[in-house]
Amino acid sequence: MSTGRTSGETSPGAARDGHDGAVNGSRGGEHTGSPSGEVAALLDELRRYLELAPQLSLPPRAFTSPELYELERTRVFGRSWVLVAHRDDLAEPNSYVSLDIAGEQVVVTRDADGVLHGMSPICRHRMMPLVESGAAGSAESFTCPYHLWRYGLDGRLIGATHMRKNPDFDPRSCRLPAFAVEEWHGFVYVNLDAAAAPLAPRLSRISDDLANYRLDDMAQLGSWSEEWACNWKVAVENAHENYHVLGFHPETLGPSTPGGSDTDVRVDSPWALRLLIRFSKPQDAYVLPLTAEEKAHLYGFFVFPAASLAAAGEMVIWLSLIPQTIDRTLVRGGILVPRAALDGADLDEMRRQAESYAGMINSEDRHGLEAVQRAVGSRFAGRGHLSPKEPGVVAFYQSLARALLRDDDDWPGDL
């Protein structure tokens, strides 16, 4: 089990000279001022999910309100653990991946010593991004393309051209703002709050559930990263139910997990929940010591706000649905299989088949969810009654309500 939690060094409090590693000002989750009338009304509706659990979908404005999205940027994505990569994406020393999380640029690195770091890749001189969002690869350092300042993979400044004659500049205190980063069973998570409490203790029950899947011994066979034209909640609520298989995936997923199947939901914490869906017939297992119940069920696990794992026989699919803007969502994911299953196999053909299969399912979801996004702004759109087949959707709404309603002192708190 890999639960080591590392991050770049950071100084407490606000930046003294604008160059130390702490994020300037308050923690990402703090929100000052009173919400507008519209946002206050939306928060009242969310509060009802915690009090009465109405079997209703969110108000349409929840998917289009700019003010609510700004609140989500701080209270949800400014202080929550977001799945950004699998260990195999950062397998080698000096590797990195970069992406945006709700408008904040993030780079995650594995330095020459194998230590993970998460940080803002924005130069501390004149705010030039050091790497392009979506880039990945290998580098011994990051050089700003503007004035050639250079940073180590741990965020330290290691070179600044023509700065010695500035007596107020202290290169030793200049570093990229650090984020918390944690690897859990091969999955790499980032939290923009550098002081966030560790994630692994909140996922202990999921770790127990997945013990027979031996996540630490799995290899990433294929992966993808694409952008969908929908609000992140449109994508996430879809991932919390199997009901949509009836319409979106009748031929790809319908034969194995019919959309009319019952879904058992177990909520473990404000971070984590589990969905259990019975397969139409048990899955085969040749390498993993799966029980009869594990072969008979699709195990879906969600880490609020954006991450999901689906364990299906000897295959695990991970997915992360990360907002880029109010109506754009980054969809990152991969397919994992036991490393022992790759011995002597045609890896290129296995990868082609895995990515082709995932691509078909993603395309079906994308087509449907982008259509939903086009409709949520209609003046005729309204809330709908949820099916008994969608208990996971209400569980997601409750997690969203906790995140948006709780202050930093109470976050994440208990159920």
Side-chain angles (χ1 to χ4, degrees):
M1 175 177 177
S2 175
T3 56
R5 180 173 179 270
T6 58
S7 67
E9 296 177 6
T10 185
S11 304
R16 293 181 296 276
D17 62 359
H19 288 294
D20 65 35
V23 177
N24 193 11
S26 63
R27 286 178 60 188
E30 290 190 3
H31 177 72
T32 57
S34 300
S36 69
E38 177 182 71
V39 171
L42 289 170
L43 293 179
D44 284 343
E45 289 300 318
L46 282 164
R47 187 177 288 107
R48 293 184 66 226
Y49 289 110
L50 299 176
E51 298 169 347
L52 303 172
Q55 300 299 299
L56 292 171
S57 61
L58 289 174
R61 279 297 284 170
F63 303 102
T64 61
S65 168
E67 289 182 77
L68 183 65
Y69 178 66
E70 286 304 309
L71 193 61
E72 292 169 349
R73 290 186 65 213
T74 55
R75 291 208 164 185
V76 178
F77 291 93
R79 58 182 187 173
S80 298
W81 289 97
V82 177
L83 176 58
V84 298
H86 183 261
R87 177 195 296 142
D88 286 359
D89 296 316
L90 294 158
E92 300 299 325
N94 297 328
S95 56
Y96 71 91
V97 296
S98 65
L99 70 159
D100 284 5
I101 298 177
E104 293 292 349
Q105 297 184 52
V106 174
V107 64
V108 179
T109 67
R110 190 180 296 278
D111 66 20
D113 297 321
V115 178
L116 286 172
H117 303 273
M119 67 201 85
S120 168
I122 299 174
C123 183
R124 306 304 282 167
H125 174 222
R126 296 266 298 281
M127 296 175 287
M128 181 73 182
L130 303 175
V131 295
E132 291 186 10
S133 181
S138 177
E140 295 183 356
S141 62
F142 296 124
T143 299
C144 178
Y146 200 176
H147 300 96
L148 304 186
W149 285 33
R150 193 158 59 96
Y151 300 84
L153 296 190
D154 60 356
R156 292 179 302 109
L157 179 73
I158 56 178
T161 56
H162 304 293
M163 289 297 295
R164 292 180 179 176
K165 291 184 179 181
N166 183 337
D168 297 325
F169 176 66
D170 179 10
R172 292 170 298 180
S173 67
C174 181
R175 63 182 307 126
L176 301 175
F179 304 137
V181 60
E182 184 170 336
E183 182 178 328
W184 175 81
H185 291 302
F187 298 100
V188 180
Y189 286 82
V190 167
N191 195 315
L192 302 188
D193 178 5
L199 174 65
R202 295 280 182 171
L203 305 184
S204 59
R205 196 170 182 186
I206 293 178
S207 291
D208 294 341
D209 288 339
L210 290 170
N212 286 341
Y213 291 90
R214 297 179 177 174
L215 294 179
D216 293 303
D217 295 329
M218 283 199 160
Q220 183 162 265
L221 182 61
S223 62
W224 57 87
S225 180
E226 54 193 54
E227 188 174 281
W228 295 359
C230 65
N231 181 269
W232 72 278
K233 297 186 296 299
V234 169
V236 172
E237 67 177 15
N238 179 73
H240 276 73
E241 49 93 351
N242 191 60
Y243 188 38
H244 73 279
V245 168
L246 288 170
F248 283 7
H249 314 293
E251 296 180 1
T252 49
L253 295 177
S256 60
T257 52
S261 301
D262 290 332
T263 300
D264 179 70
V265 177
R266 187 194 75 207
V267 181
D268 296 337
S269 75
W271 293 121
L273 66 84
R274 183 222 64 192
L275 302 184
L276 196 62
I277 302 167
R278 181 171 289 275
F279 287 117
S280 55
K281 65 177 183 178
Q283 302 291 292
D284 294 324
Y286 304 101
V287 176
L288 299 178
L290 301 184
T291 66
E293 281 297 293
E294 288 166 343
K295 293 176 185 177
H297 289 89
L298 172 69
Y299 282 73
F301 300 91
F302 295 86
V303 178
F304 181 83
S308 73
L309 304 179
E314 293 190 330
M315 179 174 64
V316 173
I317 299 174
W318 69 270
L319 197 66
S320 195
L321 303 162
I322 307 170
Q324 304 298 284
T325 64
I326 192 172
D327 60 358
R328 293 291 186 276
T329 299
L330 176 66
V331 180
R332 290 178 61 85
I335 296 178
L336 311 179
V337 296
R339 291 189 187 277
L342 302 180
D343 294 341
D346 184 338
L347 295 184
D348 289 339
E349 178 59 20
M350 287 183 67
R351 182 175 296 107
R352 186 195 67 78
Q353 291 182 12
E355 291 183 344
S356 175
Y357 175 68
M360 285 191 295
I361 297 170
N362 285 345
S363 178
E364 290 166 348
D365 277 321
R366 178 177 185 171
H367 177 78
L369 299 180
E370 289 183 349
V372 170
Q373 184 65 34
R374 291 192 295 271
V376 294
S378 168
R379 68 183 186 274
F380 300 109
R383 303 177 77 175
H385 291 278
L386 296 175
S387 166
K389 304 296 183 181
E390 301 172 287
V393 173
V394 173
F396 165 60
Y397 293 165
Q398 291 172 330
S399 296
L400 179 64
R402 293 185 191 99
L404 290 175
L405 294 169
R406 289 180 177 177
D407 293 328
D408 280 340
D409 291 341
D410 300 322
W411 175 252
D414 298 317
L415 294 174

